[in-house]
Amino acid sequence: MARRFFVGGNWKMNGDFASVDGIVAFLNQSCDSKAVDVVVAPPAPYLAYVKEKLKCGGVQVAAQNSYKVAKGAFTGEISPAMLRDLGINWVILGHSERRHVFGESDALIADKTVHALESGVNVVFCIGEKLEEREAGQTKEVNFRQLQSVVDRNIDWSRVVIAYEPVWAIGTGKTASPEQAQEVHEWIRQFLQDKVGLDVAATTRIIYGGSVTADNCVELAKKPDIDGFLVGGASLKPDFVKIVNARD
Ligand SMILES: O=C[C@H](O)COP(=O)(O)O
């Protein structure tokens, strides 16, 4: 079964009403692709606004984070229940900035993933090795360890997209080559086959993130195990539309 191409735009902590309006305008004009799932993740204060302003049925909205319980004394956090209340069905979890800037552990990310899925929110689950880990030959080990934390929890894989984002490629302009990305995506698919099953391995989308641009997306998208992208910087610009259409 062919896997539907998936392109996420992670706006990170960028934007104000003026720039958000600009992004929504180009999305509304040109992102109604019937062949691609497009999911954009604005900063939390703009989630409801973006959801309201997007007129393009093909573009969905994601949060950049959510916590592991529905409510309570957790200052600064947002819950999947609140996202559902806003009509938002996607969240990005395990992003390298959450792992490495905010110190989130594999266990916490797994708890957050399980809770989001149980609450009806689909998950873009991010994994990826740091440069020193790649140079030490630990790429497979690190990515498998991060994945194992959710394999152990018996999740509904049909509602998960895996984003492989090598930390050394994020925001650096140093994209993984199509061959480097394909190699890791193939390892991830094999890992899913060994640990979860053939069907999940065949159907789960594995997308690539790390300095994806309109210039490099077409070659990356030709690789058999690259099922889309998680785009940071370039998702703030009209070029994002070219990335959405990388497979055309
Ligand atoms: O979530 C997106 C990734 O961190 C990639 O960011 P980037 O495209 O700016 O390198």
Side-chain angles (χ1 to χ4, degrees), residues 112-181:
K112 287 162 66 153
T113 301
V114 169
H115 180 64
L117 293 169
E118 284 174 356
S119 307
V121 177
N122 304 318
V123 175
V124 177
F125 183 80
C126 305
I127 58 175
E129 79 287 356
K130 296 196 247 180
L131 182 60
E132 60 266 33
E133 292 165 334
R134 174 165 279 259
E135 286 174 348
Q138 296 166 343
T139 299
K140 206 183 242 188
E141 176 189 332
V142 169
N143 283 283
F144 286 6
R145 190 202 73 228
Q146 292 172 350
L147 269 179
Q148 186 69 48
S149 69
V150 283
V151 165
D152 289 341
R153 305 293 293 272
N154 202 18
I155 56 173
D156 177 359
W157 286 94
S158 70
R159 294 177 39 232
V160 175
V161 169
I162 297 172
Y164 168 58
E165 300 205 303
V167 181
W168 47 271
I170 295 177
T172 57
K174 254 174 112 179
T175 327
S177 67
E179 292 68 34
Q180 281 174 316

Side-chain angles (χ1 to χ4, degrees), residues 8-10 12 92 95-97 126 165 169-173 209-213 230-235:
N10 178 7
K12 308 194 178 183
I92 298 171
H95 192 278
S96 76
E97 287 140 24
C126 305
E165 300 205 303
I170 295 177
T172 57
S211 297
V212 175
T213 64
L230 185 56
V231 185
S235 70

Side-chain angles (χ1 to χ4, degrees), residues 14-196:
N14 293 298
D16 52 22
F17 277 121
S19 62
V20 165
D21 282 344
I23 299 170
V24 167
F26 72 67
L27 291 173
N28 279 341
Q29 268 169 23
S30 40
C31 260
D32 208 2
S33 171
K34 301 218 170 357
V36 184
D37 286 334
V38 182
V39 178
V40 295
Y46 301 102
L47 280 170
Y49 182 76
V50 171
K51 170 105 180 106
E52 183 198 319
K53 293 286 171 186
L54 274 174
K55 301 297 175 214
C56 176
V59 182
Q60 300 178 74
V61 179
Q64 296 177 16
N65 188 25
S66 63
Y67 198 49
K68 63 177 180 177
V69 294
K71 63 179 180 175
F74 301 102
T75 302
E77 292 294 324
I78 58 176
S79 73
M82 293 167 181
L83 298 178
R84 287 299 302 268
D85 210 20
L86 295 177
I88 287 168
N89 300 322
W90 283 96
V91 65
I92 298 171
L93 294 173
H95 192 278
S96 76
E97 287 140 24
R98 299 302 315 176
R99 292 178 186 273
H100 304 304
V101 180
F102 300 100
E104 292 191 5
S105 65
D106 290 337
L108 174 60
I109 295 162
D111 283 348
K112 287 162 66 153
T113 301
V114 169
H115 180 64
L117 293 169
E118 284 174 356
S119 307
V121 177
N122 304 318
V123 175
V124 177
F125 183 80
C126 305
I127 58 175
E129 79 287 356
K130 296 196 247 180
L131 182 60
E132 60 266 33
E133 292 165 334
R134 174 165 279 259
E135 286 174 348
Q138 296 166 343
T139 299
K140 206 183 242 188
E141 176 189 332
V142 169
N143 283 283
F144 286 6
R145 190 202 73 228
Q146 292 172 350
L147 269 179
Q148 186 69 48
S149 69
V150 283
V151 165
D152 289 341
R153 305 293 293 272
N154 202 18
I155 56 173
D156 177 359
W157 286 94
S158 70
R159 294 177 39 232
V160 175
V161 169
I162 297 172
Y164 168 58
E165 300 205 303
V167 181
W168 47 271
I170 295 177
T172 57
K174 254 174 112 179
T175 327
S177 67
E179 292 68 34
Q180 281 174 316
Q182 167 59 26
E183 178 180 48
V184 180
H185 283 227
E186 207 175 321
W187 289 342
I188 293 167
R189 207 172 295 291
Q190 186 62 49
F191 179 86
L192 288 177
Q193 184 173 326
D194 296 344
K195 302 283 179 170
V196 189

